[in-house]
Amino acid sequence: MEIYLVRHTSVDVPAGYAYGQTDVPLRSSFEDEAEVVKKNLSGHTFDKVWSSPLTRCVRLANYCGYPNAEKEDRIKEISFGEWEMKSWDELSSDPRSEAWFNDWINVPAPSGESLQDQYNRVSRFLDEIRESGLQKVCLFAHGGVLACAHVYAGEYELKDAFKNVPSYGAVIKLELD
């Protein structure tokens, strides 16, 4: 089975902010970036296409010719909960952040998720796809989802996920048994 994972294009959010599941705008360079993604997907036919329901993914799926991509909550970015749209400096001053910074794999953000939570959600979805009998699928998703998919495929451990987040507009092919 082939899974093509597509990360959304660059967002119009200041550097150093946790935006996770917030529906943030895209940069004005969207069309130029999206055209590159579209070219990277040209010539491929997919049995099924899914998209995170967040606008940054849906807009890219539409641009690339997949307006009917099925929206799937399990491929949303990690939820930073109460920390959404706060700078890392602001998070550092939150007394609850020490536990998270010491073990972000297992400790969830306040009213949000841990990386393990996100990985479990993404893994359950990938398990379903593998069991579906589909041969070639495409997911328009987020950096954290793509990193979790790499962990799922055995390419690296969860502790290394944040070191391996693909760039905006990346198209990655995973082959799973």
Side-chain angles (χ1 to χ4, degrees):
M1 157 174 256
E2 295 178 353
I3 299 180
Y4 283 75
L5 300 146
V6 181
R7 186 177 183 197
H8 60 79
T9 58
S10 57
V11 295
D12 194 9
V13 174
Y17 276 76
Y19 58 90
Q21 292 188 3
T22 301
D23 215 355
V24 297
L26 294 166
R27 288 202 177 142
S28 59
S29 58
F30 169 76
E31 286 196 17
D32 292 335
E33 293 177 61
E35 192 59 36
V36 172
V37 173
K38 186 175 183 176
K39 285 179 182 162
N40 286 333
L41 293 174
S42 69
H44 291 283
T45 303
F46 299 106
D47 297 329
K48 187 151 185 181
V49 177
W50 285 272
S51 176
S52 160
L54 298 177
T55 305
R56 56 193 184 263
C57 294
V58 172
R59 188 171 171 201
L60 182 58
N62 288 342
Y63 187 93
C64 290
Y66 304 101
N68 298 318
E70 185 174 322
K71 313 293 185 299
E72 177 54 61
D73 283 337
R74 290 176 290 180
I75 57 173
K76 280 184 176 178
E77 186 57 278
I78 193 169
S79 170
F80 286 107
E82 294 173 31
W83 292 343
E84 293 274 332
M85 296 310 297
K86 296 202 188 260
S87 71
W88 292 110
D89 289 340
E90 288 175 271
L91 298 187
S92 296
S93 66
D94 184 323
R96 300 170 294 181
S97 69
E98 184 176 350
W100 187 82
F101 281 115
N102 287 333
D103 186 11
W104 41 265
I105 292 175
N106 298 299
V107 175
S111 304
E113 294 178 297
S114 67
L115 182 59
Q116 185 69 57
D117 293 333
Q118 182 185 30
Y119 176 76
N120 292 344
R121 144 169 82 76
V122 171
S123 293
R124 283 190 299 272
F125 181 62
L126 294 175
D127 284 343
E128 283 181 26
I129 293 174
R130 287 174 80 177
E131 294 166 9
S132 70
L134 299 170
Q135 294 302 303
K136 189 174 180 180
V137 300
C138 183
L139 311 178
F140 287 86
H142 308 271
V145 172
L146 274 66
C148 285
H150 279 286
V151 172
Y152 179 89
E155 294 185 13
Y156 45 80
E157 295 180 37
L158 194 56
K159 67 179 179 63
D160 296 322
F162 283 158
K163 295 181 214 169
N164 291 289
V165 174
S167 61
Y168 292 115
V171 177
I172 294 163
K173 175 183 164 187
L174 289 182
E175 293 191 40
L176 302 174
D177 297 334

